[in-house]
Amino acid sequence: SAASDVYKRQTPLNPLLKALKNEFMKIYSVTFNWPTQEFASLIVMDEELIREAMSEVLNNAIDSVSTLTRAGTVGISVTEDDTHFIIDITDNGEGVSKENQEKLFTPFFTTKAGHKGLGLVRAKRNVLFHNGEILYGQKDKSHFFRIIIPHG
């Protein structure tokens, strides 16, 4: 969709998180840690675009832990400040090499057989349509994608 096709409206974040949880918990046998808090602030967003962005990142996290011999865990945490929602999607998979981190949002770059390398490109595009940002990071033994979206 082009930027002019984005349908933004004030939306609470919790129903989106709940819908993603229901969708992913039914499909995957991975341990998920989902946020339980209720967020009072509304976010001006195109819900479908943000859902797609979060789904792409969640799928990457699930792929990352699916090859582990230990138990795979995917976590979603949401924090909020005066101006932004910060959504972290973490996993305890192998992570991304330094060399590949620079290529994560490059069209057609993938390390996965049978994939096209467009999932994170779509996720970034969708977040940018909301004047947000998406980045990859590592902390201790977990890896995360952070999606930052302004309230308004």
Side-chain angles (χ1 to χ4, degrees):
S1 11
S4 60
D5 296 337
V6 176
Y7 177 66
K8 291 183 187 177
R9 61 187 177 93
Q10 284 198 319
T11 311
L13 189 58
N14 287 93
L16 173 59
L17 293 171
K18 185 176 181 181
L20 283 167
K21 177 180 179 180
N22 290 339
E23 177 183 332
F24 278 85
M25 298 282 281
K26 287 177 187 167
I27 301 172
Y28 298 101
S29 58
V30 169
T31 302
F32 288 99
N33 297 318
W34 293 86
T36 54
Q37 71 268 45
E38 293 287 325
F39 297 97
S41 301
L42 296 176
I43 184 169
V44 177
M45 68 173 168
D46 181 315
E47 191 169 348
E48 283 306 307
L49 293 182
I50 295 302
R51 181 185 183 126
E52 180 183 36
M54 290 181 67
S55 291
E56 295 290 357
V57 175
L58 280 165
N59 281 321
N60 264 10
I62 290 161
D63 287 345
S64 175
V65 300
S66 65
T67 59
L68 297 177
T69 52
R70 64 183 185 277
T73 303
V74 173
I76 296 91
S77 66
V78 181
T79 52
E80 172 180 23
D81 62 22
D82 291 342
T83 57
H84 295 85
F85 279 105
I86 298 122
I87 303 162
D88 285 343
I89 298 174
T90 60
D91 68 72
N92 66 340
E94 296 303 317
V96 179
S97 70
K98 286 267 189 240
E99 175 187 317
N100 287 343
Q101 286 178 30
E102 298 170 14
K103 304 173 192 169
L104 280 174
F105 301 102
T106 304
F108 308 110
F109 170 76
T110 185
T111 58
K112 302 175 202 166
H115 288 253
K116 292 185 171 77
L118 294 173
L120 289 175
V121 174
R122 276 194 299 270
K124 183 173 184 173
R125 178 201 62 195
N126 291 358
V127 170
L128 289 174
F129 280 155
H130 291 80
N131 299 315
E133 57 183 308
I134 182 171
L135 49 97
Y136 174 80
Q138 295 178 322
K139 185 176 180 186
D140 302 322
K141 291 192 191 255
S142 71
H143 316 277
F144 64 89
F145 279 92
R146 175 166 287 167
I147 298 172
I148 304 167
I149 304 171
H151 287 167

